[in-house]
Amino acid sequence: MTLYGGQGDPARTMALLWRAHSPAATQATRPRSAPGPKQGLTVDAIIEAAIAVADADGMDRLSMRAVGERLGTSAMALYTYVPSKRELVDLMYDHAHAGWPQAPETGDRRAAVLAWADHLWDRYLRHPWLLQVSYARPVLGPNEQAVLESLLAILDGTSPQHLRAAVSALFHLVRGAAQTATEGRAAAGATGTSDEQWWTERSALLADLAPDFAQRFPHSTGLAGAPSGTGGYDPVSQARHALDGGLRLLLDGLLDG
Amino acid sequence: MTLYGGQGDPARTMALLWRAHSPAATQATRPRSAPGPKQGLTVDAIIEAAIAVADADGMDRLSMRAVGERLGTSAMALYTYVPSKRELVDLMYDHAHAGWPQAPETGDRRAAVLAWADHLWDRYLRHPWLLQVSYARPVLGPNEQAVLESLLAILDGTSPQHLRAAVSALFHLVRGAAQTATEGRAAAGATGTSDEQWWTERSALLADLAPDFAQRFPHSTGLAGAPSGTGGYDPVSQARHALDGGLRLLLDGLLDG
DNA sequence: CGACATTAGCTTACGGCGTACGGAGTTGTA
DNA sequence: TACAACTCCGTACGCCGTAAGCTAATGTCG
């Protein structure tokens, strides 16, 4: 299921997200000199350890205990820096969008949007756990904001009523396609069978269980039999292919319509 | 995070999904007469109880114990009928798509697609937990298949290379918009503040933490200030508005292009 | 009709999770 | 030097999914 973000104390979460940009907050969590032991960790170290765990073992295996262990301490040690796991996930999400490239200066909007989408696709495939964090919440952090800002810069001048729809649609398309791609990839990796083998087994099973499948679902049957373009059964290139086609349709309507 | 589906023993899962259509499988789980006590539950009763729990309390609160309690038994009693929670979620997902309307006979494709999307949007808003179940897995069950089939019937005749892209894009658009809508709705309900109040508080917080926001993100600032059309701050109508716009763009490219 | 094999229902228990609580130890300040 | 503030973290609680195995019910067969 989807992890919800943006909950918990909003002020605390926002302060953590914008801590690098805030004049009030220093990098350290607490005022420069206060009693008590030195802090042994930093929020950034925790975020990076958590991302490393999620990248390596997946979101299901991300636990406070696992992050603590990677840092050589316990789960509870993290709670000095981060209010809860949910806030940590929000921080991970924003951090994984860091270093977003500037929108190009060139006037070729179509190419610029395609490059933007390609970049986002790359992030998702590199950090598939991003797709398990809800993105429907409002943009909260500086790096997420930069992703949106770069798209808005590309689309600058589009009529406002088209703009909101186009922005939503572009995010949804890329995210949905990336989700199809990464889950297909994961399923293939988990079962150990090839993609083609997986489909033939599934088809045989279905033929047993629903002999009337072709009559009941003629169009689906036709689609399954139709040529799927390049890429064969590889779920990643199939999803990428569908994304490219969807983007073309959308941009035809947006830029040329 | 997103619940993955389609795992576990595929044959067992598929048999459960297609049990009503299969000639081999009767409605009962076991052969007609066998020793042992009568079965006190049915798979359907379990699925419906689970859906009721998810509808009422959300996916986070869906547990085998909760479903068992609703049925007046224990969590472990369910395992006679359902191999694991994951399979139960798959069954819930398919069941929630039951009763899908036939594609209309009329030739107005645009209207038919919009009606299809509207219907899907309704399902998602009625059962928001659907959006927390991964949809990137292959279509497995008869009811999910019917949803796809009805869209394919509407789009019959579209060139194959456009068809796959269009189908993916339509699903992604509706699902993404519905996710934005339901999560915004849930956030408002959880905090108890009005949508407008929520935004002003968030803006004030941001102004404190990132005073240079307007300089760093000029386009985002402009978008936030632009008129948002009808619906004001209500996240559901905002998301619906964006969906309608996205569909129009996509269908312009698909049907008129 | 009685013995038995089979099976459903359920209790108990295990290892995991997020995190509340509170004690121990460290440190700047008065 | 005493104190107060603070970090760190061990322990524990209440959840979760579900493995294992017992109990009791039931159809079949001698």
Side-chain angles (χ1 to χ4, degrees):
Chain A
M1 52 177 139
T2 306
L3 279 178
Y4 286 106
Q7 312 204 355
D9 179 11
R12 176 84 192 270
T13 307
M14 293 288 277
L16 281 168
L17 280 166
W18 292 86
R19 65 199 184 287
H21 306 86
S22 168
T26 59
Q27 188 67 7
T29 304
R30 61 164 171 165
R32 196 169 308 274
S33 71
K38 305 275 188 211
Q39 294 194 307
L41 295 174
T42 63
V43 176
D44 284 313
I46 292 173
I47 294 170
E48 277 154 26
I51 289 180
V53 170
D55 282 345
D57 303 335
M59 205 62 159
D60 294 350
R61 292 285 164 73
L62 178 73
S63 69
M64 299 302 271
R65 286 170 171 85
V67 176
E69 192 169 356
R70 177 170 279 261
L71 291 168
T73 70
S74 74
M76 291 313 293
L78 310 178
Y79 282 87
T80 308
Y81 304 88
V82 165
S84 76
K85 185 184 180 183
R86 216 185 331 246
E87 329 280 324
L88 176 56
V89 171
D90 279 343
L91 293 169
M92 291 167 63
Y93 190 86
D94 191 74
H95 190 87
H97 287 89
W100 197 261
Q102 291 280 349
E105 296 291 330
T106 73
D108 185 351
R109 286 194 178 181
R110 179 179 290 263
V113 171
L114 291 177
W116 177 90
D118 189 59
H119 205 90
L120 192 56
W121 163 272
D122 275 350
R123 292 277 167 141
Y124 289 149
L125 286 207
R126 208 189 323 275
H127 301 296
W129 51 268
L130 285 175
L131 301 165
Q132 298 182 54
V133 181
S134 162
Y135 66 116
R137 68 205 165 86
V139 174
L140 293 174
N143 295 309
E144 305 170 59
Q145 193 73 54
V147 177
L148 174 62
E149 178 72 16
S150 82
L151 179 59
L152 290 174
I154 293 167
L155 295 179
D156 189 27
T158 307
S159 71
Q161 78 263 26
H162 279 41
L163 186 57
R164 286 173 194 275
V167 168
S168 304
L170 286 168
F171 269 105
H172 295 333
L173 248 55
V174 176
R175 195 169 167 117
Q179 203 157 346
T180 309
T182 57
E183 293 190 26
R185 191 177 59 180
T191 59
T193 60
S194 79
D195 300 314
E196 185 171 0
Q197 195 178 350
W198 191 92
W199 272 108
T200 54
E201 283 173 11
R202 187 62 53 128
S203 300
L205 215 50
L206 204 57
D208 260 13
L209 291 167
D212 61 342
F213 186 91
Q215 285 91 56
R216 282 168 50 85
F217 305 109
H219 297 98
S220 307
T221 308
L223 185 68
S228 67
T230 59
Y233 289 89
D234 172 36
V236 174
S237 46
Q238 273 203 352
R240 180 56 199 247
H241 213 73
L243 172 60
D244 290 338
L247 289 173
R248 184 164 35 221
L249 290 175
L250 196 74
L251 295 178
D252 284 349
L254 180 68
L255 302 178
D256 305 336
Chain B
M1 51 175 139
T2 306
L3 281 176
Y4 286 107
Q7 312 206 355
D9 179 11
R12 177 84 191 269
T13 307
M14 292 289 276
L16 281 167
L17 280 166
W18 293 86
R19 65 199 184 287
H21 306 86
S22 168
T26 59
Q27 187 67 6
T29 304
R30 61 166 172 164
R32 196 167 307 274
S33 72
K38 306 273 188 211
Q39 294 193 305
L41 295 174
T42 63
V43 175
D44 283 313
I46 292 173
I47 294 169
E48 277 154 25
I51 288 179
V53 170
D55 281 346
D57 303 334
M59 204 63 160
D60 294 351
R61 292 286 166 73
L62 178 73
S63 68
M64 299 301 271
R65 285 171 173 86
V67 177
E69 193 169 355
R70 177 171 278 261
L71 290 168
T73 70
S74 72
M76 291 310 293
L78 310 178
Y79 282 87
T80 307
Y81 303 87
V82 164
S84 76
K85 185 184 181 183
R86 210 178 341 239
E87 329 279 323
L88 175 56
V89 171
D90 280 344
L91 293 169
M92 292 167 63
Y93 190 87
D94 191 74
H95 190 87
H97 288 88
W100 197 260
Q102 291 279 351
E105 295 290 331
T106 74
D108 186 351
R109 285 196 180 181
R110 179 179 289 261
V113 171
L114 291 177
W116 177 90
D118 189 59
H119 204 91
L120 192 57
W121 163 272
D122 276 351
R123 293 279 166 137
Y124 289 149
L125 286 207
R126 209 188 323 276
H127 302 295
W129 51 268
L130 285 175
L131 301 165
Q132 299 181 52
V133 181
S134 162
Y135 65 115
R137 67 206 166 87
V139 175
L140 293 174
N143 295 309
E144 305 171 59
Q145 192 74 55
V147 177
L148 173 62
E149 177 73 15
S150 81
L151 179 59
L152 290 175
I154 293 166
L155 296 179
D156 189 28
T158 306
S159 72
Q161 79 263 27
H162 279 42
L163 186 56
R164 287 173 194 274
V167 168
S168 304
L170 286 168
F171 270 105
H172 295 332
L173 249 57
V174 176
R175 194 167 169 120
Q179 202 157 347
T180 308
T182 58
E183 292 188 27
R185 191 176 61 181
T191 59
T193 60
S194 80
D195 300 314
E196 184 171 1
Q197 196 178 347
W198 191 92
W199 272 108
T200 53
E201 283 174 10
R202 186 63 52 126
S203 300
L205 214 53
L206 204 57
D208 261 12
L209 291 167
D212 60 342
F213 187 90
Q215 285 90 54
R216 282 169 50 85
F217 305 109
H219 298 97
S220 307
T221 308
L223 184 68
S228 67
T230 60
Y233 289 89
D234 171 36
V236 174
S237 46
Q238 274 204 353
R240 180 54 198 248
H241 213 73
L243 172 60
D244 290 338
L247 288 173
R248 186 166 35 231
L249 289 176
L250 196 74
L251 294 178
D252 284 350
L254 181 69
L255 302 178
D256 305 336

